Amino acid sequence: EPEVTQTPSHQVTQMGQEVILRCVPISNHLYFYWYRQILGQKVEFLVSFYNNEISEKSEIFDDQFSVERPDGSNFTLKIRSTKLEDSAMYFCASSEVRQDIGFYGYTFGSGTRLTVV
Amino acid sequence: AQSVSQHNHHVILSEAASLELGCNYSYGGTVNLFWYVQYPGQHLQLLLKYFSGDPLVKGIKGFEAEFIKSKFSFNLRKPSVQWSDTAEYFCAALWPGGSQGNLIFGKGTKLSVKP
């Protein structure tokens, strides 16, 4: 079964540093997403990406965050200057769209645990 | 605003007990519904999903869920739980007609099964 791959699985960074989280979505999917789960809290939507641009973003996704599809396979989330409160599990997801049923095949990656110290 | 509610924060059961976890979603037209499970230290794994058709959906590991449109509910059930079902369970909804495809998650229900 196709998978969404995320690297690294765990990253520790110092406050104020930039981090890039990487994702390889399923190859025939066109919609890509980042979600965040702070320990003990619910999974929250950050941003969706389609056709090389952001299609929707949440209030959490402020100027510190950016996303990019640098090549045909990777989808990255960059946090410019990390804060302690950015410590969380970050999940990448991808999906396709079918005319008859809408968004389909929604698949999550295994997550990157980001720890900001 | 679109939302998903899970009423039970933590459920503790003994092995072989029956399970029902509640999930309600806010009204907003056509909705796709999902249940995800997250085992300790692992990623989100899809248990089952409802798009249309038969409102009783069967998923993996013996789980099922019933979509009741009149109650805006999508409760997860399992007739007999096992210790290995200890995990956190998340209900999620997608409104495909209006949104850009982002899932709205409930806060999750932690299930602890005593051996």
Side-chain angles (χ1 to χ4, degrees):
Chain A
E1 191 169 322
E3 289 186 344
V4 173
T5 306
Q6 288 187 246
T7 54
S9 57
H10 190 187
Q11 179 147 4
V12 181
T13 188
Q14 287 202 325
M15 192 168 55
Q17 295 296 305
E18 175 184 285
V19 293
I20 297 176
L21 309 183
R22 302 182 193 280
C23 169
V24 179
I26 293 174
S27 60
N28 65 329
H29 286 184
L30 299 179
Y31 284 82
F32 315 121
Y33 314 87
W34 283 101
Y35 289 79
R36 179 181 81 176
Q37 185 185 24
I38 294 173
L39 187 63
Q41 298 187 25
K42 66 177 176 178
V43 180
E44 300 171 293
F45 167 75
L46 290 178
V47 65
S48 59
F49 190 87
Y50 170 72
N51 201 24
N52 280 320
E53 60 183 25
I54 291 173
S55 53
E56 191 173 10
K57 60 183 181 179
S58 70
E59 294 173 349
I60 304 167
F61 194 88
D62 60 22
D63 293 343
Q64 296 282 19
F65 292 91
S66 63
V67 289
E68 195 177 34
R69 189 154 163 82
D71 53 45
S73 59
N74 289 285
F75 178 52
T76 62
L77 174 69
K78 182 192 290 185
I79 309 175
R80 287 191 185 81
S81 177
T82 50
K83 299 176 279 204
L84 294 176
E85 53 265 38
D86 293 326
S87 294
M89 181 74 89
Y90 289 82
F91 293 102
C92 174
S94 69
S95 75
E96 55 181 302
V97 175
R98 296 188 182 175
Q99 266 196 325
D100 51 343
I101 56 175
F103 293 93
Y104 184 79
Y106 222 105
T107 305
F108 281 85
S110 55
T112 293
R113 183 173 298 283
L114 177 65
T115 303
V116 182
V117 297
Chain B
Q2 295 155 341
S3 65
V4 174
S5 302
Q6 290 181 247
H7 313 295
N8 309 105
H9 177 64
H10 191 184
V11 172
I12 303 172
L13 295 173
S14 297
E15 273 194 318
S18 64
L19 169 73
E20 181 160 2
L21 302 182
C23 172
N24 288 91
Y25 62 94
S26 62
Y27 176 73
T30 301
V31 64
N32 301 154
L33 296 159
F34 306 79
W35 274 99
Y36 286 89
V37 61
Q38 187 176 32
Y39 297 102
Q42 296 190 28
H43 65 283
L44 293 167
Q45 182 179 355
L46 180 66
L47 275 178
L48 47 79
K49 61 191 176 198
Y50 171 78
F51 279 28
S52 64
D54 188 344
L56 186 61
V57 180
K58 294 200 183 295
I60 61 171
K61 303 177 191 269
F63 287 91
E64 64 178 32
E66 185 174 12
F67 171 61
I68 303 180
K69 190 174 181 179
S70 61
K71 296 184 178 180
F72 307 112
S73 71
F74 189 57
N75 292 355
L76 181 71
R77 299 195 292 246
K78 185 170 184 178
S80 175
V81 295
Q82 301 170 308
W83 176 78
S84 56
D85 293 323
T86 294
E88 190 151 16
Y89 293 80
F90 293 92
C91 182
L94 170 65
W95 284 266
S99 76
Q100 293 296 317
N102 50 298
L103 292 178
I104 308 294
F105 281 83
K107 290 188 176 180
T109 297
K110 190 169 293 188
L111 172 65
S112 299
V113 180
K114 298 183 292 185

